[in-house]
Amino acid sequence: KDNFGKDRMTHLKDEALKFSQLAATPVSEALIGIFHGTTAVKKHNYGKPKKTVETVAVLGAGLMGAGIAQVSAVNGKLRTLLKDKDEAGVSRGEKQIVDALAGKLKKKRMTNYDFCSATSRVVPLHDGSESWKKHFSHADMVIEAVFEDLAVKHKVLEEMEAVIPEHCIFASNTSAIPIASIAEGAKRPQNVIGMHYFSPVPLMPLLEIITHKGTAPEVAASAMAVGSKQGKTPIFVKDVPGFYVNRCLAPFMTEVVALVKEGVDLNEMD
């Protein structure tokens, strides 16, 4: 018996009762639904990747690019090439990753070994680096997070296809430009796909994978595999305006603007 005169069986019965009560709540039902949902979306008919992605190259070391590089190196344990136009740009991106991981290390959410391993997997490169083309010639996937302009995307794609191997996948992090339009500028359009991450990348779980009509099935399978390794919840989305999240958001925003114009109280609306 414990200090209150209760025996072990009394405690076990009490625990079983409380568990059964919690299991019957709407919160429990919702959490189970999320589990089944996140498991179901990973099932697809695209088959298997032809080649396992081992090296990911990220173009653009801004907030999004650095975040994508972080989840690739930390969660995915992938060799990650982080490239920007100059040394200052890539240094800022590298600092963002190191500072984020240093915070985890300080809070003991990461071991020193994991910190050193993750940061060592990130290879900073820029246009002035003599070796960047050699590094990119061994990339299995390139994820671009450059300026949202179709002409810029096409220029970057052309530059990449001149150095990356034939099997390398070119993924765009665009949130608005049709993937089919980006693929029009490719020599190998079958390797072009959309991988739209959300900011801040290390914290936001969703990843939209957008295929155009010419995307090869094994490329879609590889995108799903990489997204899962990065710790994301990847979903396949059609190449339509807004993709999934912004397509859902647009009607809400339209209605909110209408309500504001009608004078609805902001607190009430919230």
Side-chain angles (χ1 to χ4, degrees):
K1 294 182 182 296
D2 61 16
N3 295 333
F4 300 98
K6 296 181 179 179
D7 59 19
R8 182 168 177 269
M9 189 54 67
T10 301
H11 288 297
L12 290 173
K13 286 181 178 179
D14 188 53
E15 183 181 45
L17 176 63
K18 294 294 193 296
F19 180 86
S20 63
Q21 290 172 342
L22 286 171
T25 62
V27 173
S28 174
E29 185 179 359
L31 290 171
I32 293 169
I34 290 172
F35 172 78
H36 287 309
T38 52
T39 303
V41 294
K42 292 179 181 179
K43 297 176 182 178
H44 56 80
N45 299 317
Y46 291 108
K48 295 182 179 179
K50 275 189 176 179
K51 188 181 186 302
T52 301
V53 173
E54 296 176 350
T55 299
V56 168
V58 181
L59 295 177
L63 183 66
M64 292 299 292
I68 295 168
Q70 181 178 323
V71 296
S72 299
V74 179
N75 302 339
K77 293 180 171 54
L78 300 165
R79 183 168 181 268
T80 305
L81 313 176
L82 180 61
K83 180 179 175 293
D84 209 287
K85 62 181 180 179
D86 53 38
E87 187 175 355
V90 75
S91 295
R92 283 193 296 270
E94 189 179 22
K95 184 177 185 299
Q96 179 183 316
I97 296 170
V98 172
D99 287 351
L101 300 186
K104 287 188 175 185
L105 182 64
K106 187 177 180 180
K107 294 176 183 177
K108 296 184 179 180
R109 292 169 57 193
M110 173 180 267
T111 65
N112 189 58
Y113 174 82
D114 288 336
F115 172 82
C116 293
S117 296
T119 51
S120 70
R121 284 191 285 269
V122 179
V123 181
L125 300 164
H126 57 86
D127 288 345
S129 306
E130 294 182 7
S131 61
W132 81 261
K133 291 183 180 179
K134 184 178 180 180
H135 281 290
F136 272 63
S137 69
H138 299 291
D140 301 307
M141 174 182 281
V142 172
I143 304 174
E144 67 82 6
V146 300
F147 188 68
E148 286 283 75
D149 181 276
L150 184 57
V152 175
K153 305 285 190 189
H154 281 169
K155 183 180 178 182
V156 167
L157 177 54
E158 183 182 4
E159 184 182 52
M160 288 300 105
E161 287 193 318
V163 295
I164 58 178
E166 285 198 8
H167 75 273
C168 185
I169 297 164
F170 184 88
S172 175
N173 181 51
T174 182
S175 61
I177 299 173
I179 304 304
S181 297
I182 295 173
E184 286 174 359
K187 290 180 180 178
R188 299 184 286 272
Q190 70 275 13
N191 288 352
V192 177
I193 197 166
M195 292 179 73
H196 180 217
Y197 297 80
F198 295 84
S199 183
V201 180
L203 299 178
M204 301 295 278
L206 188 65
L207 167 62
E208 294 176 332
I209 300 177
I210 308 102
T211 59
H212 66 93
K213 289 183 179 180
T215 301
E218 62 271 16
V219 170
S222 290
M224 173 62 78
V226 169
S228 297
K229 279 185 179 179
Q230 292 170 331
K232 299 301 171 188
T233 301
I235 59 170
F236 284 112
V237 183
K238 289 182 178 180
D239 192 12
V240 294
F243 303 140
Y244 179 78
V245 170
N246 288 329
R247 195 176 179 85
C248 292
L249 180 64
F252 280 92
M253 296 303 293
T254 302
E255 182 63 18
V256 165
V257 170
L259 290 171
V260 169
K261 286 183 175 180
E262 290 170 13
V264 175
D265 180 72
L266 294 181
N267 289 323
E268 183 184 349
M269 195 189 310
D270 189 52

